[in-house]
DNA sequence: CCAAAAGTGTTGACTGTACACCCATGT
DNA sequence: ACATGGGTGTACAGTCAACACTTTTGG
């Protein structure tokens, strides 16, 4: 029985997943989701938090159970049940281990994933579907953005996840009408264009809404 | 490691769940979801199908994995992980074992559930939430209705699950526009009012839609 | 001055909702 | 005759989608 975690972040306008490179057989050298066996007396949720800390160096992020996989043949070594979670991490918070060896975690854009071990390609595809749906009726995006952000950043986050372009005025109108975010008196800095006003999420806790996308 | 199944059906205009009465400690005499340990080499999905057959006498119904529960303290005997499924069964297909002893399965309306063992009250509440959401963007209702049904029956099914009254004309307009169901040349029989025209689902396979409730 | 994103409203199409009456049948 | 659901359309309100130009800043 194992726990695997799909860790998402946004970087360079792309939705990315954290993967490690396997240092053992089977699938030696292929890429895989971070995960592993449960420690003695540990719940699967606690194990997912531990993996997040170990591989991405973060805590207090959005995390949710995804699905439990136990199809025959998913692990050549025999029947293995895997409880999977997915997490959303702001890019600025990720701390990747620097060691240049196998098992070193790195971020890969969804559009160009390397060869994946086990059924992990399927797990990631399923996680993306769930993430897209989730974004349409929750405030989960707060966990992919820094504390203060511009409407443009927010829109780019939605575009990266949904894989579509959105209309600027319509997006802003709709999102502001949800009353999930509030204007702050901060301004963007260091950009080479007109500085944007920064917003914050009113609540940093997950909440459900009536569907808005 | 166990598998538990939330088996839903509609009976007398009410959404009901199949429960057994426990014949062993702990929670002796309380009601519980049908479930049990995995057989040697069995997947959780296969176990859920087996339980459906054993307790409700049905196969080929809508079934889907719900969630995996492993909170500390959910079973007083120690850490137990339970992979749960939910199933939708047409009332006409259910065959309950008739034996009048403990473990005998019976249907209970959601509004008046008996005292439940373990965390099963929470599991059922979660299953209902998922079922309501599911009904809003899939054709899952096909698995709660007989092959031929009237629009009124369909509407009552939605009302029982959603727990709300719906407007007849608007419901029919919306549902027909989805092109999920087709008119047949059959008519209702044996009712004491004007016979209704019967419809059928065009596809008996689960499919997703763009959200309609 | 140029590049890049900021900021800002209106219109037309579509969708959802509210609502009431006569009809066909079995008892 | 009466009770029960069968069957049918319209009008108003709200939401969604398309669309373009001026402003501010850094380089």
């Amino acid at each position: 029985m194992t726990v695997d975690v799909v860790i998402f972040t946004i970087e360079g306008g792309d939705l990315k997943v954290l993967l490690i490179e396997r240092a053992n057989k089977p699938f030696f050298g292929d890429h895989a989701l971070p995960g592993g066996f449960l420690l003695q007396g540990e719940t699967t949720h606690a194990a997912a938090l531990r993996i997040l800390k170990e591989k991405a160096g973060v805590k207090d992020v959005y995390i949710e159970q995804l699905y439990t996989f136990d199809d025959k043949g998913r692990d050549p070594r025999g029947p293995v049940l895997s409880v999977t979670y997915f997490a959303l991490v702001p890019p600025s918070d990720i701390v990747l281990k620097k060691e240049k060896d196998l098992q070193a975690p790195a971020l890969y854009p969804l559009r160009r994933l390397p060869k994946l071990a086990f059924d992990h390609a399927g797990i990631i595809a399923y996680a993306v579907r769930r993430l897209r749906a989730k974004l349409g009726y929750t405030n989960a995006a707060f966990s992919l953005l820094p504390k203060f952000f511009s409407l443009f950043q927010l829109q780019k986050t939605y575009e990266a996840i949904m894989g579509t372009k959105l209309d600027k005025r319509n997006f802003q109108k709709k999102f502001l009408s949800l009353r999930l975010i509030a204007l702050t008196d901060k301004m963007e800095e260091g950009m080479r264009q007109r500085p944007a006003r920064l917003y914050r999420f009113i609540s940093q806790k997950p909440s459900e809404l009536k569907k808005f996308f």
Side-chain angles (χ1 to χ4, degrees), chain A residues 10 50 59 64 76 106 108 119 132 145 197 199 210:
Chain A
I10 306 268
R50 173 171 55 80
K59 55 177 184 154
E64 176 183 321
Y108 297 84
D119 54 355
R132 285 185 178 153
L145 288 161
R197 294 185 283 191
Y199 291 76
K210 285 233 165 298

Side-chain angles (χ1 to χ4, degrees), chain A residues 87-102:
Chain A
L88 306 179
V89 180
S92 52
D93 292 6
I94 289 193
V95 184
L96 299 174
K97 279 204 303 229
K98 298 213 172 59
E99 315 151 26
K100 196 84 179 269
D101 59 7
L102 295 178

Side-chain angles (χ1 to χ4, degrees), chain A residues 11-55:
Chain A
E11 199 185 57
D14 285 322
L15 182 58
K16 297 191 176 180
V17 186
L18 186 148
L19 299 174
I20 60 157
E21 203 172 330
R22 283 184 60 77
N24 302 301
K25 301 183 93 173
F27 298 103
F28 178 90
D30 286 352
H31 293 263
L33 294 171
F37 293 92
L38 281 183
L39 302 181
Q40 197 52 257
E42 191 179 40
T43 63
T44 56
H45 185 258
L49 293 178
R50 173 171 55 80
I51 290 161
L52 260 172
K53 193 82 211 301
E54 284 173 9
K55 305 296 182 186

Side-chain angles (χ1 to χ4, degrees), chain A residues 62-134:
Chain A
Y62 184 94
I63 184 164
E64 176 183 321
Q65 192 187 299
L66 181 62
Y67 197 81
T68 298
F69 295 87
D70 71 336
D71 294 335
K72 275 203 186 336
R74 60 181 298 272
D75 190 320
R77 290 166 295 186
V80 174
L81 181 143
S82 175
V83 181
T84 58
Y85 285 78
F86 76 94
L88 306 179
V89 180
S92 52
D93 292 6
I94 289 193
V95 184
L96 299 174
K97 279 204 303 229
K98 298 213 172 59
E99 315 151 26
K100 196 84 179 269
D101 59 7
L102 295 178
Q103 296 278 14
L107 298 171
Y108 297 84
L110 275 170
R111 315 292 312 240
R112 296 194 158 246
L113 290 176
K115 182 163 184 306
L116 288 157
F118 307 109
D119 54 355
H120 289 187
I123 294 175
I124 291 171
Y126 182 66
V128 172
R129 273 176 44 205
R130 272 277 284 280
L131 171 58
R132 285 185 178 153
K134 210 85 198 169

